[in-house]
Amino acid sequence: MSIIAVNGITKTYRQYRRFPGLIGSVRSLFTRQYTEEDAVNNMSFTINEGEAVGYLGPNGAGKSTMIKMMTGILVPTNGDIKVLGVVPHEARKANAQQIGVVFGQRSQLWWDLPVTDSFDLHKYIYKIPDSAFRKNLELCMSLLSVHEFVQKPVRQLSLGQRMRVEIAMALLHEPKILFLDEPTIGLDVMAKDQIRRFLRTVNRERKVTIVLTTHDMKDIEEICPRMLVVNKGSLVYDGSVEDLRAKLGSERKVIIDFRVDPGLLDIPGITLLQDEGIRKTFLVPRGESTVFEHVSRIASQYPVEDASIESLDIESVIRKLYLQLASEEQPISKIG
Amino acid sequence: MSTYFMFTLKAFVNQLAFRSEVWLRLLGNYFAILIQVEIWRAVIGNGGSASTTVEQMITYSILNTLLFALLLNRVSSKVDGSLKSGSIASELIKPLSYPLYLLFDGLGQSLYQFIFTVIPSLILAWILFGMLPPASTIHFIAFLGALLMALILSFLLGYLVSLLAFWFLSHFALSWTLGGLITIFSGSFLPLWFYSPSWAAVAKLLPFQYLGYVPAAIYLGNQNEAELWRTIALGLIWIILLLVVAHWLWGKAVRRLIVQGG
Amino acid sequence: MTLLLFSKLVRLLLKEKMEYRADFVLSAFAQIISYAGDYIVIWLFMKQFNSIAGWNWPEIALLYSIGLFTYALGASFSFVQMSGLEGQVREGTFDTLLIKPVNPYLYLISRGFNLAYVAHISISGTVLIWAIAQLNLQWSWTDYVYLLLALISGAMIHAGLLTAIGATTFVWVRTGYLFSLFFQLKEFISYPLPIFGTVVQLLLTVGVPLAFVNFYPAAFLLSYETSLIPHWAKWLVPLAGPLIYGLGYRFWMYGANKYQGAGG
């Protein structure tokens, strides 16, 4: 069953031009010139109940605009959007009651008060019954180990602790969908890991649908079986991480440790990615000769200590996708 | 010294970004002067009272409204800002005097106000309400000296408040208190000669009168030469006194900052 | 937005203020000193001139106190919230208001409900009571009701105007200077309206109707001439508050909708 249905959504921003000088500022009171820019352009997709979807794209791709439209903050210029069967901005309050939103860089907590006070207020805002509140609070606090600092004022928490609190709070009213805008930005490895594990649990066990934007591919790999990749306001990929890798990641990364540094190697068909002296990393395409053949050819010419073959990490896959998109665009932008 | 003049210039240029608000300041000053003019017309009337004419009070009001725009009253909030953000530490490492930097930065803002607010407001007020000329050449020169003293004293008072904020941590409360004292004792709305004798006597001992009453009263020639010299001497004593206190507090404040690490 | 939620918010705000208890008390004390300064200067002025436009010192104290009291009451629900809106829109924190299942306006003003105005309220309230006692007025109970209504209405006028100024944030982004213009205009109503010319009187009655805050109510209560408003309209004056506040609220909601459409 689809829980979010986005159909032909466009969001156009108007950028007003200011006229310079005093006469200009008077003039801009009467006439306003503006340029229009589509942050989201004719986008369509559906998300089913219980999915975990990663929403990614380069900066300025229209990620947060889309999140804002799905959460009812912004009104789309064109197209239909339905979240849990209602149009978010029309039924903003009803929609808000059913969703949880975490903005990575915009705290909703009370800076000078203990964490419990923010939780407590949340209960009043969302009119959560006592028993449900206690149950959910207990669950979130134990899974995110919030207990240890729940009595501390928010200003004394680390960024990772604060983010854990934000996420716990967003789940207290049992939302059906959880939107997260860059939930792991700026966190250390441990904190990231804990949040990812928690989100996976929330998604798999409590069946909360998750939509998250991120720049960290690890978030996608660990939480989201499905990803939506956007570029310049348009959807360019919708599918699983594996499929994208199969489509684009036909190369393998080969790391070879030599006994002595062989110097500059020039092997046709192979690209040197990284040179650390006796350890070199190559990018090897799969074509007429197999990866193994390449490796054994090198080993026959130079003394090789060790070799390992890896598939491309998701980061490289995405980078490749963006590069491909950029090169496809070239002719279009020349025409336009 | 040229480094410090650069701060003046920089503060001046920074203010240029708010050019659109110039007209609004002009309107604001017009309102402020209009209110006072109407009040004096209402209570003194066109005939004038025994000692003071409406024209004198209009001039007094214009001078005080515009003087207020020139005073360096943003010093303490600037220091407070860098105390709160912690940038005070980096200000202190720079190879220059922080108080002098504050002074010249403030002067830049005043220079901006002078050119873009005070001069146009003065012309506007002169056309709309009329202004008396200075009482004499001597009084005019003394008036310019009093203006300078007003700038310096306003800086020193704001600076002292910001130094006290190192201990009290509440610059807000201190500057409201300073504002209250200035309202009561500067005589910028009601000249001290209209104060009841006991209040006037207190006000004439305090430094706040230099931020309002003194320059305007000198301009109008309300003080004869002997009184003039006495007023200026007292002002200088206040400047020296505040300088000494500020210097002493500054030393303690820096030490406190180093000990506590901000 | 229930009363329950509002009281919860106020309790949290109090708790937050108590984190900086000494600072709060010091600031309140300093604000009282500052406003005492204003009163002292007016008192010194009245001591010298006895009356202005026929109003004596306790009458002027009454006029000024109604102005300050209603400002504090109205501003506690509007000023900090509305002047802070500019930063909230710029930094995107305004969005977090729109994801809550509550009316964003009501949440904004309650979340920012400013307890610091307790200083203004105590000094102006005290002087107001003193002035009424001093004037030895033979007031009937309707006069007291009228004063009460006037105080509520005055607070709503201040809040309505500040709210309307805040709403311009959604269109113009930089609004700081509009607030300073408001405060400059507010200076006019510290004195009896008749000392000003017709243009100013009209401006403060029809344009920016600040004269309804304190001058008209006080003039009716003290039986002074009100050239622009006939005597039969006395009981209509306290309606100005709800009207202006309602318009301010509508304008704000219109602005917020525009923000949702345009996206800041």
Side-chain angles (χ1 to χ4, degrees):
Chain A
M1 199 198 103
S2 89
I3 199 164
I4 297 175
V6 172
N7 192 5
I9 283 287
T10 298
K11 178 74 195 177
T12 311
Y13 287 127
R14 281 183 175 182
Q15 219 113 49
Y16 286 99
R17 233 192 80 201
R18 283 179 200 288
F19 302 104
L22 178 72
I23 296 160
S25 61
V26 173
R27 205 176 132 199
S28 43
L29 286 177
F30 302 102
T31 60
R32 299 224 274 180
Q33 282 186 1
Y34 53 83
T35 50
E36 290 193 332
E37 198 179 330
D38 292 340
V40 172
N41 186 12
N42 196 18
M43 180 115 66
S44 301
F45 59 84
T46 57
I47 292 174
N48 289 330
E49 201 169 345
E51 276 197 278
V53 179
Y55 197 87
L56 60 152
N59 285 335
K63 292 190 302 278
S64 53
T65 303
M66 195 66 223
I67 291 262
K68 283 182 189 173
M69 286 192 284
M70 289 190 281
T71 49
I73 294 171
L74 290 184
V75 182
T77 314
N78 258 317
D80 306 313
I81 186 164
K82 285 259 174 74
V83 174
L84 293 153
V86 297
V87 180
H89 70 266
E90 283 174 7
R92 197 186 57 76
K93 281 196 239 175
N95 186 51
Q97 188 72 46
Q98 304 257 33
I99 61 170
V101 187
V102 176
F103 289 118
Q105 287 166 310
R106 284 168 242 166
S107 178
Q108 304 187 51
L109 303 170
W110 288 56
W111 196 244
D112 288 317
L113 294 182
V115 175
T116 36
D117 284 316
S118 293
F119 286 154
D120 219 24
L121 184 70
H122 194 83
K123 173 177 180 277
Y124 282 83
I125 294 175
Y126 288 83
K127 302 189 184 80
I128 310 169
D130 277 328
S131 58
F133 178 73
R134 268 199 302 274
K135 192 187 81 202
N136 295 333
L137 189 60
E138 196 43 52
L139 184 72
C140 290
M141 290 212 304
S142 59
L143 282 174
L144 283 165
S145 23
V146 173
H147 280 292
E148 42 197 284
F149 48 80
V150 77
Q151 294 302 340
K152 271 199 200 170
V154 172
R155 61 166 190 272
Q156 291 175 9
L157 303 188
S158 70
L159 190 60
Q161 290 173 326
R162 219 161 66 216
M163 191 49 68
R164 270 140 73 191
V165 171
E166 303 263 7
I167 294 173
M169 194 165 87
L171 288 165
L172 290 179
H173 56 285
E174 300 180 14
K176 299 224 167 49
I177 311 172
L178 180 62
F179 293 96
L180 303 113
D181 195 9
E182 311 262 3
T184 57
I185 196 163
L187 303 187
D188 63 53
V189 184
M190 294 284 283
K192 277 184 179 178
D193 204 47
Q194 189 168 26
I195 284 173
R196 285 172 191 146
R197 252 184 294 134
F198 175 74
L199 290 176
R200 208 164 46 213
T201 311
V202 164
N203 175 245
R204 308 289 137 89
E205 280 166 30
R206 291 184 66 190
K207 306 290 174 220
V208 175
T209 308
I210 288 182
V211 179
L212 67 85
T213 71
T214 187
H215 278 107
D216 191 333
M217 296 309 153
K218 209 100 201 251
D219 289 348
I220 306 282
E221 262 183 326
E222 301 208 354
I223 308 165
C224 306
R226 176 183 170 194
M227 60 180 185
L228 297 170
V229 184
V230 288
N231 189 36
K232 308 218 162 157
S234 301
L235 194 61
V236 292
Y237 179 77
D238 177 357
S240 71
V241 176
E242 279 70 39
D243 285 350
L244 185 66
R245 183 178 287 149
K247 236 169 146 181
L248 293 172
S250 52
E251 288 129 338
R252 289 289 178 273
K253 214 155 60 174
V254 177
I255 302 162
I256 298 178
D257 289 333
F258 295 95
R259 284 216 190 90
V260 282
D261 187 355
L264 213 61
L265 292 182
D266 190 24
I267 302 154
I270 302 186
T271 334
L272 181 69
L273 274 184
Q274 208 179 358
D275 190 347
E276 294 162 282
I278 58 166
R279 168 174 285 192
K280 296 191 197 302
T281 310
F282 301 96
L283 194 64
V284 183
R286 285 193 297 184
E288 50 270 32
S289 44
T290 65
V291 176
F292 192 74
E293 281 166 1
H294 278 298
V295 176
S296 52
R297 198 176 309 138
I298 294 169
S300 66
Q301 291 167 28
Y302 306 97
V304 168
E305 179 79 40
D306 194 7
S308 66
I309 303 168
E310 286 174 9
S311 51
L312 272 189
D313 55 12
I314 173 107
E315 203 123 2
S316 317
V317 174
I318 294 288
R319 199 179 307 132
K320 205 170 157 198
L321 178 65
Y322 289 166
L323 282 174
Q324 204 171 323
L325 287 166
S327 63
E328 275 167 16
E329 249 163 42
Q330 227 78 50
I332 301 170
S333 63
K334 264 179 204 154
I335 298 162
Chain B
M1 217 53 195
S2 64
T3 322
Y4 294 104
F5 282 114
M6 282 304 293
F7 291 129
T8 304
L9 202 67
K10 214 176 122 209
F12 181 85
V13 173
N14 274 343
Q15 292 281 311
L16 283 176
F18 305 111
R19 221 174 31 223
S20 57
E21 286 164 27
V22 162
W23 295 92
L24 192 100
R25 289 228 183 86
L26 218 62
L27 187 66
N29 280 339
Y30 168 71
F31 282 160
I33 294 169
L34 176 67
I35 292 171
Q36 295 173 72
V37 167
E38 299 286 23
I39 290 167
W40 294 118
R41 280 185 185 149
V43 294
I44 297 182
N46 292 324
S49 75
S51 58
T52 314
T53 65
V54 171
E55 287 71 30
Q56 281 178 318
M57 282 321 300
I58 290 175
T59 306
Y60 188 92
S61 302
I62 294 171
L63 288 175
N64 264 296
T65 306
L66 300 183
L67 171 63
F68 190 75
L70 289 179
L71 295 181
L72 283 69
N73 43 23
R74 274 173 291 264
V75 179
S76 70
S77 61
K78 195 168 170 105
V79 177
D80 183 59
S82 46
L83 260 179
K84 288 229 169 79
S85 71
S87 68
I88 184 95
S90 62
E91 309 272 15
L92 290 179
I93 328 173
K94 287 180 193 154
L96 42 86
S97 152
Y98 187 57
L100 274 181
Y101 156 72
L102 287 173
L103 174 65
F104 281 85
D105 178 79
L107 287 176
Q109 294 183 11
S110 292
L111 182 66
Y112 172 85
Q113 293 289 344
F114 183 72
I115 295 173
F116 289 98
T117 311
V118 172
I119 297 284
S121 298
L122 197 64
I123 294 168
L124 190 73
W126 182 66
I127 294 168
L128 292 174
F129 304 112
M131 244 186 106
L132 297 173
S136 72
T137 318
I138 300 275
H139 281 99
F140 186 66
I141 293 165
F143 165 73
L144 293 180
L147 275 185
L148 191 66
M149 285 169 78
L151 290 184
I152 294 170
L153 276 166
S154 69
F155 170 77
L156 284 173
L157 288 167
Y159 180 55
L160 274 178
V161 160
S162 66
L163 287 179
L164 287 174
F166 276 65
W167 282 269
F168 287 99
L169 292 173
S170 177
H171 135 270
F172 186 80
L174 289 165
S175 49
W176 271 81
T177 310
L178 176 65
L181 292 173
I182 291 175
T183 307
I184 302 170
F185 296 112
S186 70
S188 66
F189 163 62
L190 185 68
L192 296 188
W193 63 74
F194 284 140
Y195 276 44
S196 57
S198 49
W199 284 87
V202 176
K204 286 197 171 170
L205 289 175
L206 293 172
F208 309 107
Q209 55 170 325
Y210 293 90
L211 309 185
Y213 167 75
V214 168
I218 290 177
Y219 180 94
L220 288 172
N222 203 268
Q223 303 201 325
N224 63 39
E225 258 178 65
E227 281 172 320
L228 204 67
W229 290 119
R230 211 178 314 130
T231 310
I232 288 177
L234 182 66
L236 287 175
I237 290 171
W238 267 115
I239 288 176
I240 292 165
L241 199 68
L242 292 177
L243 265 176
V244 170
V245 175
H247 186 75
W248 175 71
L249 268 179
W250 170 243
K252 296 203 102 169
V254 170
R255 225 169 308 138
R256 186 182 161 84
L257 203 67
I258 293 166
V259 172
Q260 300 204 333
Chain C
M1 185 84 182
T2 57
L3 219 59
L4 200 66
L5 177 55
F6 179 68
S7 65
K8 180 77 203 166
L9 269 165
V10 172
R11 255 177 292 155
L12 287 187
L13 286 163
L14 259 173
K15 200 173 164 191
E16 195 178 43
K17 279 273 180 280
M18 286 307 113
E19 285 283 305
Y20 301 97
R21 206 167 313 145
D23 192 52
F24 184 70
V25 173
L26 268 179
S27 299
F29 191 66
Q31 279 170 305
I32 288 178
I33 292 181
S34 173
Y35 279 101
D38 284 353
Y39 277 113
I40 288 171
V41 171
I42 297 175
W43 170 69
L44 287 168
F45 175 88
M46 295 307 291
K47 228 171 124 149
Q48 175 72 25
F49 296 100
N50 297 317
S51 75
I52 179 164
W55 294 52
N56 62 24
W57 158 237
E59 288 171 334
I60 291 289
L62 179 90
L63 181 78
Y64 187 84
S65 297
I66 296 177
L68 183 56
F69 189 89
T70 54
Y71 164 71
L73 214 55
S76 64
F77 283 102
S78 54
F79 176 58
V80 173
Q81 295 89 324
M82 293 304 153
S83 56
L85 205 53
E86 187 181 320
Q88 289 214 13
V89 167
R90 199 182 331 109
E91 280 152 33
T93 40
F94 183 69
D95 292 343
T96 60
L97 234 72
L98 293 170
I99 54 162
K100 291 185 170 62
V102 285
N103 177 317
Y105 171 77
L106 293 178
Y107 188 78
L108 177 77
I109 61 163
S110 323
R111 173 69 176 89
F113 177 64
N114 194 348
L115 296 153
Y117 285 106
V118 69
H120 298 62
I121 290 191
S122 28
I123 187 166
S124 59
T126 310
V127 179
L128 182 61
I129 292 166
W130 171 84
I132 291 170
Q134 195 70 19
L135 285 166
N136 209 2
L137 300 157
Q138 305 300 312
W139 276 3
S140 66
W141 66 271
T142 50
D143 291 310
Y144 285 104
V145 171
Y146 190 76
L147 176 67
L148 187 69
L149 290 177
L151 289 179
I152 296 167
S153 162
M156 289 177 104
I157 293 173
H158 278 127
L161 292 173
L162 288 168
T163 301
I165 294 173
T168 59
T169 308
F170 297 120
V171 194
W172 288 329
V173 186
R174 253 184 85 88
T175 53
Y177 62 90
L178 282 176
F179 286 105
S180 32
L181 189 64
F182 170 81
F183 289 114
Q184 247 134 6
L185 278 169
K186 202 165 71 65
E187 283 297 303
F188 278 103
I189 62 166
S190 303
Y191 308 93
L193 198 61
I195 69 166
F196 302 110
T198 320
V199 178
V200 172
Q201 292 198 33
L202 273 172
L203 173 74
L204 295 174
T205 306
V206 191
V208 187
L210 281 166
F212 287 90
V213 166
N214 60 351
F215 173 70
Y216 289 121
F220 283 123
L221 282 171
L222 302 172
S223 314
Y224 275 109
E225 191 57 40
T226 51
S227 53
L228 290 173
I229 308 262
H231 195 263
W232 57 262
K234 173 182 171 182
W235 286 89
L236 294 180
V237 167
L239 290 177
L243 182 74
I244 293 161
Y245 188 68
L247 286 173
Y249 170 73
R250 282 289 190 77
F251 184 50
W252 195 91
M253 288 303 269
Y254 167 80
N257 278 328
K258 211 157 164 74
Y259 169 85
Q260 285 192 281

